[in-house]
Amino acid sequence: MLLMNVECRNPPKTFTLLLDTGSSITWVEHADCIECINGDAPPWTGYDEAVSSTSEIIYCDKNRKCNMATNAFCKRSRRCEYSLKYISGDCKGFYFSDTLYMDADGTRADVFEGFIFGGSLQIRGELEEHTHGIFGLGNATGSFIFQEGLKRLSFCLPPSDSPQRTKLLFEDEARMIGKSLPMIKDPDGHYVVRLIGISVDDDYLDIEARIFRGAGGTGGAILDTGAPLSVLPKRAYGIVVDKLTSIINLPLSSKPKSDRLCFNITGETEINVSIIPSMMLHFERLNLPISRRYLFAKTQDGDLCLNIRQYRRMTIIGIPFLQNINIGIDLDRNRIFMQPLISCTTI
């Protein structure tokens, strides 16, 4: 996961958040959350505005901050509220503003006063596991990027089994390295690029590029550091699965999943990666190799499952395929830079 530590409140309190380029709202667990479970031993307490000298509860009446907040709405309480749905779960709560201290590289050098974020009172699904919330790095109105007027950012996603935290850089410090791709404008603040093809073991698959563009034919592939799996439209997914099953000499899972290819490896302690074929994602002006290590993952029930699922007509490049890649986003030039690395520690 793409993790970073931030501190909210005065005095500060540390939260470990999932950096999510696929959404634009930042939220943390609230102290009064009634359905919050995370990996921390008790007594964990979430954000409590009552003990912060710099907090502000955001109300609805002619409040510019509520108008600026992402997906905000108002009910009888007159509090500025939000309700979010993700593929892996949902949450809801109220908006606050407070001082944000960002620990992006092991320091507390970045301080953002009056930052608008959510305090979640209900969290369902897988959202609460291992983290205290989500740091939305999308570019929709009300996002962190929008609030701070940022134009350049970069980050490198360490492998999921690495203790290394993400180094998030802004403006002049952001690393724009590697080949650049034109960024497709997206009304939801996603970072979208044009995927034109996929090859497996150097065999360019017969998938029309328009399939990756979604229902309207004008979209593309979303770079989503909050997505645990990559996603392909049904037609493209079927062609990829047919190719992989023709190469990999393993029995299919006895517990098949309708949206994900899985092989049965019960009894195997280690997987010989040489049996996994190579994969390449082809973008305009860039061929992105996918490491054999990240193409499949071993599950708790003893299966080896593809890190791609099918979902309607959507194309998402998720966490497994973005590891050890420096990604630079230049909003002024509408370009996305991608540079595969041996390790994020080289940045």
Side-chain angles (χ1 to χ4, degrees), residues 31 40 50 65 78 95 113 202 269 294 302 317:
D40 295 291
K65 290 184 177 180
R78 295 178 49 248
Y95 274 111
E113 297 180 350
D202 297 324
T269 56
Y294 307 141
I317 311 301

Side-chain angles (χ1 to χ4, degrees), residues 87 224 226-232 259-260 295 297 305-310 316-321:
I87 292 178
D224 188 351
L229 300 174
S230 291
V231 175
L232 288 177
D259 62 349
R260 194 177 176 195
L295 187 56
C305 292
L306 181 64
N307 280 328
I308 306 174
R309 58 174 292 197
Q310 61 178 353
I316 296 174
I317 311 301
I319 294 173
F321 294 176

Side-chain angles (χ1 to χ4, degrees), residues 173-192:
E173 294 183 353
R175 305 292 178 86
M176 303 295 150
I177 58 176
K179 292 184 177 179
S180 70
L181 307 173
M183 185 165 58
I184 301 171
K185 291 185 178 180
D186 181 79
D188 296 319
H190 295 137
Y191 304 113
V192 182

Side-chain angles (χ1 to χ4, degrees), residues 43-55:
W44 163 258
T45 56
Y47 175 77
D48 187 351
E49 70 278 8
V51 298
S52 174
S53 63
T54 52
S55 70

Side-chain angles (χ1 to χ4, degrees), residues 287-307:
N287 296 323
L288 185 66
I290 304 302
S291 170
R292 286 179 167 89
R293 288 180 55 200
Y294 307 141
L295 187 56
F296 283 82
K298 188 175 181 179
T299 63
Q300 293 181 346
D301 54 7
D303 285 342
L304 184 70
C305 292
L306 181 64
N307 280 328

Side-chain angles (χ1 to χ4, degrees), residues 89-140:
D90 58 79
C91 69
K92 60 183 179 181
F94 295 110
Y95 274 111
F96 302 87
S97 72
D98 209 331
T99 301
L100 171 71
Y101 303 89
M102 185 171 294
D103 181 16
D105 58 358
T107 68
R108 275 181 48 190
D110 297 317
V111 180
F112 303 93
E113 297 180 350
F115 176 61
I116 301 170
F117 64 97
S120 287
L121 294 166
Q122 180 176 296
I123 307 171
R124 295 176 178 173
E126 300 176 4
L127 294 176
E128 75 280 357
E129 295 183 358
H130 312 300
T131 67
H132 306 131
I134 287 179
F135 194 91
L137 266 182
N139 190 35

Side-chain angles (χ1 to χ4, degrees), residues 95-308:
Y95 274 111
F96 302 87
S97 72
D98 209 331
T99 301
L100 171 71
Y101 303 89
M102 185 171 294
D103 181 16
D105 58 358
T107 68
R108 275 181 48 190
D110 297 317
V111 180
F112 303 93
E113 297 180 350
F115 176 61
I116 301 170
F117 64 97
S120 287
L121 294 166
Q122 180 176 296
I123 307 171
R124 295 176 178 173
E126 300 176 4
L127 294 176
E128 75 280 357
E129 295 183 358
H130 312 300
T131 67
H132 306 131
I134 287 179
F135 194 91
L137 266 182
N139 190 35
T141 301
S143 67
F144 170 77
I145 300 297
F146 179 88
Q147 290 185 52
E148 304 304 328
L150 301 174
K151 298 300 181 182
R152 288 160 53 96
L153 66 149
S154 70
F155 53 86
C156 185
L157 173 58
S160 56
D161 57 356
S162 169
Q164 182 186 359
R165 283 292 193 262
T166 304
K167 191 170 186 178
L168 182 61
L169 301 173
F170 300 115
E171 303 302 81
D172 292 342
E173 294 183 353
R175 305 292 178 86
M176 303 295 150
I177 58 176
K179 292 184 177 179
S180 70
L181 307 173
M183 185 165 58
I184 301 171
K185 291 185 178 180
D186 181 79
D188 296 319
H190 295 137
Y191 304 113
V192 182
V193 293
R194 189 84 70 197
L195 179 66
I196 60 176
I198 299 174
S199 59
V200 175
D201 272 356
D202 297 324
D203 183 10
Y204 199 96
L205 302 183
D206 186 18
I207 305 173
E208 295 181 66
R210 63 179 179 83
I211 293 177
F212 301 116
R213 298 177 187 173
T218 58
I222 299 171
L223 302 182
D224 188 351
T225 60
L229 300 174
S230 291
V231 175
L232 288 177
K234 184 176 181 179
R235 289 176 62 187
Y237 179 84
I239 294 172
V240 170
V241 165
D242 287 346
K243 182 64 176 180
L244 292 174
T245 52
S246 71
I247 296 174
I248 300 174
N249 187 24
L250 288 173
L252 293 175
S253 171
S254 59
K255 304 177 286 293
K257 299 174 175 59
S258 61
D259 62 349
R260 194 177 176 195
L261 171 66
C262 294
F263 295 98
N264 186 346
I265 55 168
T266 303
E268 299 286 343
T269 56
E270 293 186 8
I271 301 302
N272 184 355
V273 294
S274 65
I275 69 172
I276 306 298
S278 62
M279 177 177 284
M280 186 87 71
L281 302 183
H282 302 281
F283 301 91
E284 296 175 344
R285 298 186 63 246
L286 172 67
N287 296 323
L288 185 66
I290 304 302
S291 170
R292 286 179 167 89
R293 288 180 55 200
Y294 307 141
L295 187 56
F296 283 82
K298 188 175 181 179
T299 63
Q300 293 181 346
D301 54 7
D303 285 342
L304 184 70
C305 292
L306 181 64
N307 280 328
I308 306 174

